[in-house]
């Protein structure tokens, strides 16, 4: 069987150039070459094996992660990988580890909030991993409400030191990854207190463990917070708990780029704008959007390939049964997710551009686009992670019973992914922030202040409030402008309706609280519009390769029309479209599936994932599912013995009716 | 702290008699007394401890399950528990085990399909657990399509035996619970072949393992299929793989109630109606609906109590922050789930009645209601399990980061629950069956054939096609008849619209396949109507207890109106209600939340779950969340040592820049 490609007939059906689509997905030829090379490097190295992860005990699992992280770093040094290559390598190792926080949060926090001197000192150490850092913000009692953190950093002018303290149980740091067992240092957030005055939450670099024997330093209590969702999954990470008993650190370990405490204990703001901090958030959330497209595309690859392998019902005259991917219900569940993966990829790419743009403007002291960029990344983080979390689970269901086996790869993918809805901002809290931005934008419309960036469409609000869709035939829904106008009109009308309701409250905070459920819906409509419009913009670019653009056009329509169907209540109740037009949109959607169908397997091949990265028997490139599932089963520890441990004590006495005397 | 009730102030707010509500939830005073007594019995017995489940390795976990199962059976014997009490005990032990399949599938299958003699022989053994049975239908290659099973049972008239064989890899039995390591016998489904003729799939009782040494009998290969989703969770179960190499069983081990093979090898049908088989399905699926209400209510209990404990933002003048349950977005996510738990409970109760009714009719040779009962239970199984699976995950998100910890109880609840969407019929396949039934009902309307049971409303199709809702104010949506008519009209119109589209196809099978995505939506609308109408019917009964009925009325409205909002596209596109009316419905829904809010904690107290059964620190009855979370963390195996295993090999060389020489 080895060497056979059970999906060859599917691949032959493709009507486009898969290699060119790989370039589009990767972002550039360079990015594709890089991903391809590094992913193969990881896949071919047995040290990075991960198929045994779900049967390891917590301790074995964790030790194994330490080994992989060290080995990865060793390879990075040996092969003299660039920063970009090293990041890709960690990505393809595909195992949450303390290094994620070190590189993804600790280093960026110092970069964003540290002075030049601080950066010089600490980043030099961090880049060589002579210290390992974590990011400790959340506490047992406070996550979303960062301003409510209870840890204190009190300046002692006599000693020129801060005293870091955990005054209550709920002030214990709780959740930071890498903290529990590994980090030597952390960026710790605490309320800055000078001379009895509370200046709110600031960041401090605190050494946590001895660089000699790794023991926590005096006054510091640290541990792991325990098992998390799933086997394998995020349990490779040592999310930790941390308490400070009046721990002293030098004054220069406060991150002082934005504000300082002087030798005398005076609190002063630097002339660096505070908004800089938002730049980091825009950066981190943009990476989360890109990660969403990765996680989603992975799950979709598994579900698509397996749906092409799996046959059930519909055999005629003893011929083969129907591939389940041919069932319209399966397509109606799967293809919109495939389209979403591409949509999230392109909006992620655009966010990368946005981040660069914002950064350049900040350097030129132009803060005008920052609030909009901030709202937009918050909203897109929320939208893409919520959809992806649900979608991975849907992909599991699309695989029937076999999707429930760890060997399908989907259980770990779900368990490791779902917290993305919570970390870096709870998704509902984020949508409420977007709503605040939108309500402000609407309220400023009469003043003539032009809304910018992704809210620019609000500038045409008068038109959008009364326009009517001119769709008459199903095919009309394939026109980008028709779709765009419908999404713009729906979003604008929902925002305006909220603003009007809001105006009826004398206390606007009370009104906001009262109306929050519909405000969240308006935010979502706005965010969906962004994704749709960025997909459409992408298609206005020159995209080479036979048939590539046509496929993307079909996927763009699938993406937009499935949203339109799912939220048809919004479109209808705002009068944006008529019931007849909604029905035509769904007709068009269903007929698009037939266009996607022959290309489905090739469209997931274009993600260019190795079997190692996918980690799924159901998603194997060669489709050789059944023999491999069968083989894999026998590796379970329970199969080491034919008669299971416990039989003689518990089962035999039961069968022999001798339980009465058994010691259980 | 011990003994303090942090939720006392919440409990004092309740505007109804919680004890009476407990009776309503349990179904009767007797049922409440029983549940209460048995759940306390289990909770107070340390042998049933389950808080360590998520850190056990597969082998430890499984052995522990065997111990509990044996111990439970010992207690059942010692305490001379009735069948009803024993079932409750297994329920509160709350750990999937081989006994579930023995009692829940093996015994019912023999009861339903065995002759009196066969029942006499096998049930006697099974009731005493002298044999342990499993239910082996699904194969590696076939699940949903039972008629496509490949295992063969060929009659050999010379020996008066059947030869059971697995002709292909895909014919391996795959998934049956209890099979992998424990079952001594199984009801095995195989294609019956006599004299070269294939009579389709039938059930056979096959001994799998020796009753002496537990080794698989000659010709039989068995193993466990490996790890499944989640830690703890369903990994306590030995779902198995099974292959037969021409295994012989006596002729009388074919289940012969409906059809027989004679000594001569002739295949004959008995005069017992085939439809009897459906009776078993109605039974099993009804229990699944009740289980959905249990799983959902458990998750809702955790999320509700924790939402009342958790405070975030909104502190004024240094006072306490806002309880997150007071945020309208939180209410908008949580309260409809609370209402759904009650809704599923009542529809489950009604299904129990339906099953009894169908059984009595069958005994009187009245098969008239069977197809409708079958469609209705299939649809309700699909609806309730899909919603519950999503809802448990939503409850996890409602608990923010802490919901992701195993100590919250939610991860295990999710992982153990989600396969309910797949087993006993894939939820989409089931909705397609409902659609077939609906399309048939619609097509028979012109003939004057009165639709029965839950489709009776179709009899008023002419009225329902043209009626208009007369809602003018938000409060109008509180009237049961108004709601009912809207749901009936929407369901009827969606079915009729499908039927009309179907009629345009010359080949109706092709049309059905083509239209399946909208057919599934019509089925769902029909099933939602059933749940809403059974909730309304429940409220027409006499319900004693101060305030109890008022609370249920509010919940019923929340249930119906949240569905109406969620699916407003359906209601609007079918012209059932106007945009204005949809908006009023949502206004009413939001204002109902204020009625539910003070009663929320008491409404989950009414489920009467012990802390043992809930298995959640966030859901503790006393709300003493933070100290217990903190305590629990330290129990993780990683916290056995301060410096983790692997530090010296992997982390120290990294920090000391000595990786080059390290052996990794
Ligand atoms: C896997 C994982 C890794 C993490 N890693 C780190 C890390 O490395 N470092 C670190 O510092 N932290 C980390 N965290 C913590 C994470 O940042 C927080 O969990 C997150 O910020 C959410 O906060 P919370 O848990 O307090 O949720 P809560 O705020 O308690 O949310 C509970 C519920 O209340 C609702 N809610 C809260 N406020 C409002 C409001 N104003 N209006 C309406 N509803 C509201 C939420 O929507 C939610 O439903 C991690 C968490 C996880 C799960
Ligand atoms: C935890 C667990 C316990 C189980 N226990 C048992 C047990 O004790 N005994 C036993 O015999 N079995 C058991 N099973 C097996 C279970 O009954 C099957 O998994 C179930 O019947 C679904 O079948 P499948 O896995 O073949 O899914 P498939 O039919 O392969 O489904 C795959 C996809 O195809 C779609 N699909 C299939 N047919 C159609 C169609 N006609 N039209 C449209 N879409 C279609 C489905 O919707 C799904 O999306 C168990 C399974 C699990 C997960």
């Amino acid at each position: 069987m080895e060497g056979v490609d059970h999906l060859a007939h599917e691949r032959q059906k493709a009507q486009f150039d898969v290699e060119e689509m790989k370039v589009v997905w990767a972002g550039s030829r360079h990015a594709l070459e890089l991903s391809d090379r590094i992913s193969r490097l990881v896949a071919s190295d047995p040290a990075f094996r991960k198929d045994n992860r779900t049967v390891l005990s917590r301790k074995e699992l964790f030790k194994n992660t330490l080994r992989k992280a060290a080995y990865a770093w060793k390879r990075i040094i040996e092969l003299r990988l660039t920063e970009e290559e090293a990041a890709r390598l960690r990505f393809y190792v595909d195992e949450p580890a303390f290094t994620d926080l070190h590189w993804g949060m600790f280093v960026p926090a110092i970069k964003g909030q540290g002075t030049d001197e601080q950066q010089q000192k600490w980043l030099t150490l961090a880049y060589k991993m002579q210290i390992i850092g974590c990011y400790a913000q959340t506490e047992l009692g406070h996550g979303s409400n960062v301003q409510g953190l209870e840890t204190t950093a009190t300046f002692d002018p006599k000693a020129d030191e801060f005293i870091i303290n955990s005054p209550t149980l709920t002030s214990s740091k709780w959740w930071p990854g890498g903290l529990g067992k590994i980090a030597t240092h952390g960026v710790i957030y605490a309320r800055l207190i000078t001379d009895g005055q509370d200046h709110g939450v600031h960041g401090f670099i605190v050494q946590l463990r001895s660089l000699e024997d790794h023991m926590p330093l005096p006054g510091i209590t640290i541990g792991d917070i325990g098992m998390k969702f799933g086997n394998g999954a995020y349990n490779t990470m040592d999310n930790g708990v941390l308490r400070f008993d009046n721990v002293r650190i030098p004054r220069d370990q406060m991150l002082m780029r934005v504000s300082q405490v002087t030798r005398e204990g005076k609190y002063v703001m630097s002339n660096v704008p505070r908004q800089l901090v938002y730049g980091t958030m825009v950066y981190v959330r943009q990476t989360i959007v890109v990660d969403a497209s990765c996680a989603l595309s992975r799950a979709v690859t598994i579900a698509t390939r397996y749906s092409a392998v799996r046959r059930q019902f519909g055999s005629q005259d003893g011929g083969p049964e129907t591939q389940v991917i041919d069932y319209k219900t399966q397509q109606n569940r799967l293809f919109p997710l495939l389209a979403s993966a591409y949509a999230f990829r392109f909006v992620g790419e655009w966010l990368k551009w946005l981040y660069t743009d914002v950064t350049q403007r900040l350097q030129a002291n132009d803060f005008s686009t920052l609030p909009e960029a901030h709202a937009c990344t918050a909203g897109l983080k929320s939208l893409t992670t919520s959809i992806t979390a649900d979608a991975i689970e849907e992909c599991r269901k699309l695989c029937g019973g076999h999707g429930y086996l760890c060997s399908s790869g989907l259980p770990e993918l779900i368990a490791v992914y779902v917290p993305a809805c919570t970390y870096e901002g709870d998704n509902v809290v984020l949508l409420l922030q977007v709503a605040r931005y939108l309500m402000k934008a609407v309220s400023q419309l009469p003043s003539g202040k032009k809304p910018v960036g992704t809210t620019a469409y609000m500038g045409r609000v008068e038109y959008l409030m009364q326009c009517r869709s001119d769709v008459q035939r199903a095919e009309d829904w394939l026109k980008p402008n028709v779709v765009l106008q419908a999404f713009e009109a729906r979003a604008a009308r929902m925002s305006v309706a909220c603003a009007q309701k809001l105006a009826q409250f004398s206390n606007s905070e009370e009104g906001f609280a009262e109306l929050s459920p519909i405000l969240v819906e308006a935010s979502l409509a706005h965010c969906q519009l962004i994704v749709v419009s960025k997909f459409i913009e992408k298609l206005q670019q020159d995209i080479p390769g036979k048939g590539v653009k046509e496929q993307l056009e079909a996927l763009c329509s699938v993406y937009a029309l499935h949203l339109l169907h799912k939220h048809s209540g919004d479109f209808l109740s705002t009068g944006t479209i008529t019931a007849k037009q909604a029905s035509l949109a769904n007709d068009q959607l269903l007929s698009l599936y037939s266009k996607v169908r022959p290309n489905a397997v090739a469209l997931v091949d274009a993600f260019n994932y190795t079997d190692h990265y996918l980690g799924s028997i159901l998603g194997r490139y060669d489709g050789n599912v059944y023999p491999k599932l069968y083989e894999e089963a026998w590796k379970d520890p329970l199969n080491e013995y034919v008669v299971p441990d416990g039989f003689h004590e518990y089962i035999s006495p039961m069968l022999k009716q001798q339980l009465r005397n058994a010691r259980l």
Side-chain angles (χ1 to χ4, degrees), chain A residues 547-581:
Chain A
V548 171
K549 195 171 200 163
E550 286 73 8
Q551 290 308 314
L552 294 175
E553 280 165 353
L555 290 175
C556 181
S557 294
V558 166
Y559 181 71
L561 297 180
H562 106 276
L563 282 182
L564 194 146
H565 184 63
K566 183 169 161 191
H567 298 274
S568 60
D570 287 356
F571 288 89
L572 293 169
S573 66
T574 53
T576 305
I577 61 173
T578 63
K580 175 73 196 159
Q581 290 169 332

CSV table of all heavy atoms in Angstrom, one decimal, chain A residues 547-581:
chain,number,residue,atom,x,y,z
A,547,GLY,N,-6.2,29.5,-13.2
A,547,GLY,CA,-7.4,29.2,-12.4
A,547,GLY,C,-7.3,29.6,-11.0
A,547,GLY,O,-8.3,29.5,-10.3
A,548,VAL,N,-6.2,30.2,-10.5
A,548,VAL,CA,-6.1,30.5,-9.1
A,548,VAL,C,-7.1,31.6,-8.7
A,548,VAL,O,-7.8,31.4,-7.7
A,548,VAL,CB,-4.7,30.9,-8.8
A,548,VAL,CG1,-4.6,31.5,-7.4
A,548,VAL,CG2,-3.7,29.8,-9.0
A,549,LYS,N,-7.2,32.6,-9.5
A,549,LYS,CA,-8.1,33.7,-9.1
A,549,LYS,C,-9.5,33.2,-9.1
A,549,LYS,O,-10.3,33.6,-8.2
A,549,LYS,CB,-7.9,34.9,-10.1
A,549,LYS,CG,-8.5,36.2,-9.6
A,549,LYS,CD,-8.1,37.3,-10.5
A,549,LYS,CE,-8.3,38.6,-9.7
A,549,LYS,NZ,-7.5,39.7,-10.4
A,550,GLU,N,-9.9,32.4,-10.1
A,550,GLU,CA,-11.2,31.9,-10.2
A,550,GLU,C,-11.6,31.2,-8.9
A,550,GLU,O,-12.7,31.3,-8.4
A,550,GLU,CB,-11.4,31.0,-11.4
A,550,GLU,CG,-11.4,31.7,-12.8
A,550,GLU,CD,-10.1,32.2,-13.2
A,550,GLU,OE1,-9.0,31.9,-12.5
A,550,GLU,OE2,-10.0,32.9,-14.2
A,551,GLN,N,-10.7,30.3,-8.5
A,551,GLN,CA,-11.0,29.6,-7.2
A,551,GLN,C,-11.2,30.5,-6.1
A,551,GLN,O,-12.1,30.3,-5.2
A,551,GLN,CB,-9.8,28.6,-6.9
A,551,GLN,CG,-9.7,27.5,-7.9
A,551,GLN,CD,-11.0,26.7,-8.0
A,551,GLN,OE1,-11.7,26.4,-7.0
A,551,GLN,NE2,-11.4,26.4,-9.3
A,552,LEU,N,-10.4,31.5,-6.0
A,552,LEU,CA,-10.5,32.5,-4.9
A,552,LEU,C,-11.8,33.3,-5.0
A,552,LEU,O,-12.4,33.6,-3.9
A,552,LEU,CB,-9.2,33.4,-4.8
A,552,LEU,CG,-7.9,32.6,-4.5
A,552,LEU,CD1,-6.7,33.6,-4.5
A,552,LEU,CD2,-8.0,32.0,-3.1
A,553,GLU,N,-12.1,33.6,-6.2
A,553,GLU,CA,-13.4,34.3,-6.3
A,553,GLU,C,-14.6,33.4,-5.8
A,553,GLU,O,-15.5,33.9,-5.1
A,553,GLU,CB,-13.6,34.7,-7.8
A,553,GLU,CG,-12.8,35.9,-8.2
A,553,GLU,CD,-12.7,36.2,-9.7
A,553,GLU,OE1,-13.1,35.3,-10.5
A,553,GLU,OE2,-12.1,37.2,-10.0
A,554,ALA,N,-14.5,32.2,-6.2
A,554,ALA,CA,-15.6,31.3,-5.7
A,554,ALA,C,-15.6,31.2,-4.2
A,554,ALA,O,-16.7,31.3,-3.5
A,554,ALA,CB,-15.4,29.9,-6.3
A,555,LEU,N,-14.4,31.1,-3.6
A,555,LEU,CA,-14.4,31.0,-2.1
A,555,LEU,C,-14.8,32.3,-1.5
A,555,LEU,O,-15.5,32.3,-0.4
A,555,LEU,CB,-12.9,30.7,-1.7
A,555,LEU,CG,-12.4,29.3,-2.0
A,555,LEU,CD1,-11.0,29.1,-1.7
A,555,LEU,CD2,-13.3,28.2,-1.3
A,556,CYS,N,-14.5,33.4,-2.1
A,556,CYS,CA,-14.9,34.7,-1.6
A,556,CYS,C,-16.4,34.8,-1.5
A,556,CYS,O,-17.0,35.2,-0.6
A,556,CYS,CB,-14.3,35.8,-2.4
A,556,CYS,SG,-14.7,37.5,-1.8
A,557,SER,N,-17.0,34.3,-2.6
A,557,SER,CA,-18.5,34.4,-2.7
A,557,SER,C,-19.1,33.4,-1.6
A,557,SER,O,-20.1,33.7,-1.0
A,557,SER,CB,-19.0,34.0,-4.1
A,557,SER,OG,-18.6,35.0,-5.0
A,558,VAL,N,-18.5,32.2,-1.5
A,558,VAL,CA,-19.0,31.3,-0.5
A,558,VAL,C,-18.9,31.9,0.9
A,558,VAL,O,-19.8,31.8,1.7
A,558,VAL,CB,-18.1,29.9,-0.6
A,558,VAL,CG1,-18.4,29.1,0.7
A,558,VAL,CG2,-18.5,29.2,-1.8
A,559,TYR,N,-17.7,32.5,1.1
A,559,TYR,CA,-17.6,33.1,2.5
A,559,TYR,C,-18.7,34.2,2.7
A,559,TYR,O,-19.3,34.1,3.8
A,559,TYR,CB,-16.2,33.8,2.6
A,559,TYR,CG,-16.0,34.4,3.9
A,559,TYR,CD1,-15.8,33.6,5.1
A,559,TYR,CD2,-16.0,35.8,4.1
A,559,TYR,CE1,-15.7,34.1,6.3
A,559,TYR,CE2,-15.9,36.3,5.4
A,559,TYR,CZ,-15.7,35.5,6.5
A,559,TYR,OH,-15.6,36.0,7.7
A,560,ALA,N,-18.8,35.1,1.8
A,560,ALA,CA,-19.8,36.2,2.0
A,560,ALA,C,-21.2,35.7,2.1
A,560,ALA,O,-22.0,36.0,2.9
A,560,ALA,CB,-19.6,37.2,0.9
A,561,LEU,N,-21.6,34.8,1.1
A,561,LEU,CA,-23.0,34.3,1.1
A,561,LEU,C,-23.3,33.4,2.2
A,561,LEU,O,-24.5,33.4,2.6
A,561,LEU,CB,-23.2,33.7,-0.3
A,561,LEU,CG,-23.1,34.6,-1.5
A,561,LEU,CD1,-23.4,33.9,-2.8
A,561,LEU,CD2,-24.0,35.9,-1.4
A,562,HIS,N,-22.4,32.6,2.7
A,562,HIS,CA,-22.8,31.8,3.9
A,562,HIS,C,-23.0,32.7,5.1
A,562,HIS,O,-23.9,32.5,5.9
A,562,HIS,CB,-21.7,30.7,4.2
A,562,HIS,CG,-20.8,30.9,5.3
A,562,HIS,ND1,-19.7,31.7,5.3
A,562,HIS,CD2,-20.9,30.5,6.6
A,562,HIS,CE1,-19.1,31.8,6.5
A,562,HIS,NE2,-19.9,31.1,7.3
A,563,LEU,N,-22.2,33.8,5.2
A,563,LEU,CA,-22.5,34.8,6.3
A,563,LEU,C,-23.8,35.4,6.1
A,563,LEU,O,-24.6,35.6,7.1
A,563,LEU,CB,-21.4,35.8,6.3
A,563,LEU,CG,-20.1,35.5,6.9
A,563,LEU,CD1,-19.2,36.7,6.9
A,563,LEU,CD2,-20.2,35.0,8.4
A,564,LEU,N,-24.1,35.8,4.9
A,564,LEU,CA,-25.4,36.4,4.6
A,564,LEU,C,-26.6,35.5,5.0
A,564,LEU,O,-27.5,35.9,5.6
A,564,LEU,CB,-25.4,36.8,3.1
A,564,LEU,CG,-26.5,37.7,2.7
A,564,LEU,CD1,-26.0,38.6,1.6
A,564,LEU,CD2,-27.8,37.0,2.3
A,565,HIS,N,-26.4,34.2,4.7
A,565,HIS,CA,-27.5,33.3,5.0
A,565,HIS,C,-27.6,33.1,6.5
A,565,HIS,O,-28.6,33.1,7.1
A,565,HIS,CB,-27.2,31.9,4.3
A,565,HIS,CG,-28.3,30.9,4.6
A,565,HIS,ND1,-29.6,31.1,4.1
A,565,HIS,CD2,-28.3,29.7,5.2
A,565,HIS,CE1,-30.3,30.1,4.5
A,565,HIS,NE2,-29.6,29.2,5.2
A,566,LYS,N,-26.4,32.9,7.2
A,566,LYS,CA,-26.4,32.7,8.6
A,566,LYS,C,-27.0,33.8,9.4
A,566,LYS,O,-27.7,33.7,10.4
A,566,LYS,CB,-24.9,32.4,9.0
A,566,LYS,CG,-24.7,32.1,10.5
A,566,LYS,CD,-23.2,31.7,10.6
A,566,LYS,CE,-22.8,31.8,12.1
A,566,LYS,NZ,-21.3,31.6,12.2
A,567,HIS,N,-26.7,35.0,8.9
A,567,HIS,CA,-27.2,36.2,9.6
A,567,HIS,C,-28.3,36.9,8.8
A,567,HIS,O,-28.5,38.1,8.8
A,567,HIS,CB,-26.1,37.2,9.8
A,567,HIS,CG,-25.0,36.7,10.6
A,567,HIS,ND1,-25.0,36.8,12.0
A,567,HIS,CD2,-23.8,36.0,10.3
A,567,HIS,CE1,-23.9,36.2,12.5
A,567,HIS,NE2,-23.2,35.7,11.5
A,568,SER,N,-29.1,36.1,8.1
A,568,SER,CA,-30.1,36.7,7.2
A,568,SER,C,-31.1,37.6,8.0
A,568,SER,O,-31.7,38.5,7.5
A,568,SER,CB,-30.8,35.7,6.4
A,568,SER,OG,-31.5,34.7,7.2
A,569,GLY,N,-31.3,37.2,9.3
A,569,GLY,CA,-32.1,38.0,10.2
A,569,GLY,C,-31.7,39.5,10.2
A,569,GLY,O,-32.5,40.4,10.1
A,570,ASP,N,-30.4,39.7,10.3
A,570,ASP,CA,-29.9,41.1,10.3
A,570,ASP,C,-30.2,41.8,9.0
A,570,ASP,O,-30.7,42.9,9.0
A,570,ASP,CB,-28.3,41.1,10.4
A,570,ASP,CG,-27.8,40.7,11.7
A,570,ASP,OD1,-28.6,40.5,12.7
A,570,ASP,OD2,-26.6,40.6,11.9
A,571,PHE,N,-29.9,41.1,7.9
A,571,PHE,CA,-30.1,41.7,6.6
A,571,PHE,C,-31.5,42.0,6.3
A,571,PHE,O,-31.9,43.0,5.7
A,571,PHE,CB,-29.5,40.8,5.5
A,571,PHE,CG,-28.0,40.7,5.5
A,571,PHE,CD1,-27.3,39.8,6.2
A,571,PHE,CD2,-27.3,41.6,4.7
A,571,PHE,CE1,-25.9,39.8,6.2
A,571,PHE,CE2,-25.9,41.6,4.7
A,571,PHE,CZ,-25.2,40.7,5.5
A,572,LEU,N,-32.4,41.1,6.7
A,572,LEU,CA,-33.8,41.3,6.5
A,572,LEU,C,-34.4,42.3,7.4
A,572,LEU,O,-35.2,43.2,7.0
A,572,LEU,CB,-34.6,40.0,6.6
A,572,LEU,CG,-34.2,38.9,5.6
A,572,LEU,CD1,-34.8,37.6,5.9
A,572,LEU,CD2,-34.8,39.4,4.2
A,573,SER,N,-34.1,42.3,8.7
A,573,SER,CA,-34.7,43.2,9.6
A,573,SER,C,-34.3,44.6,9.4
A,573,SER,O,-35.0,45.6,9.7
A,573,SER,CB,-34.5,42.8,11.1
A,573,SER,OG,-33.1,42.9,11.4
A,574,THR,N,-33.0,44.8,8.9
A,574,THR,CA,-32.6,46.2,8.5
A,574,THR,C,-33.1,46.6,7.2
A,574,THR,O,-32.8,47.7,6.7
A,574,THR,CB,-31.1,46.3,8.5
A,574,THR,OG1,-30.6,45.3,7.7
A,574,THR,CG2,-30.5,46.1,9.9
A,575,GLY,N,-33.8,45.7,6.5
A,575,GLY,CA,-34.4,46.1,5.2
A,575,GLY,C,-33.3,46.2,4.1
A,575,GLY,O,-33.5,46.8,3.1
A,576,THR,N,-32.1,45.6,4.4
A,576,THR,CA,-31.0,45.7,3.4
A,576,THR,C,-31.3,44.9,2.2
A,576,THR,O,-31.0,45.4,1.1
A,576,THR,CB,-29.7,45.2,4.1
A,576,THR,OG1,-29.5,45.9,5.3
A,576,THR,CG2,-28.5,45.4,3.1
A,577,ILE,N,-31.9,43.8,2.4
A,577,ILE,CA,-32.3,42.9,1.2
A,577,ILE,C,-33.7,42.4,1.5
A,577,ILE,O,-34.2,42.5,2.6
A,577,ILE,CB,-31.3,41.7,1.0
A,577,ILE,CG1,-31.3,40.8,2.2
A,577,ILE,CG2,-29.9,42.2,0.7
A,577,ILE,CD1,-30.5,39.5,2.0
A,578,THR,N,-34.3,41.9,0.4
A,578,THR,CA,-35.7,41.3,0.6
A,578,THR,C,-35.6,39.8,0.8
A,578,THR,O,-34.5,39.2,0.6
A,578,THR,CB,-36.5,41.6,-0.7
A,578,THR,OG1,-35.8,40.8,-1.8
A,578,THR,CG2,-36.5,43.0,-1.1
A,579,ALA,N,-36.7,39.3,1.2
A,579,ALA,CA,-36.7,37.8,1.4
A,579,ALA,C,-36.4,37.1,0.2
A,579,ALA,O,-35.7,36.1,0.2
A,579,ALA,CB,-38.1,37.4,1.9
A,580,LYS,N,-36.9,37.6,-1.0
A,580,LYS,CA,-36.6,36.9,-2.2
A,580,LYS,C,-35.1,37.0,-2.5
A,580,LYS,O,-34.5,36.0,-3.0
A,580,LYS,CB,-37.3,37.7,-3.3
A,580,LYS,CG,-37.1,37.3,-4.7
A,580,LYS,CD,-37.7,35.9,-5.0
A,580,LYS,CE,-37.2,35.3,-6.3
A,580,LYS,NZ,-37.3,33.9,-6.4
A,581,GLN,N,-34.4,38.1,-2.3
A,581,GLN,CA,-33.0,38.3,-2.5
A,581,GLN,C,-32.2,37.3,-1.6
A,581,GLN,O,-31.2,36.8,-2.0
A,581,GLN,CB,-32.6,39.7,-2.3
A,581,GLN,CG,-33.1,40.6,-3.4
A,581,GLN,CD,-32.9,42.1,-3.2
A,581,GLN,OE1,-32.9,42.5,-2.0
A,581,GLN,NE2,-32.8,42.9,-4.2
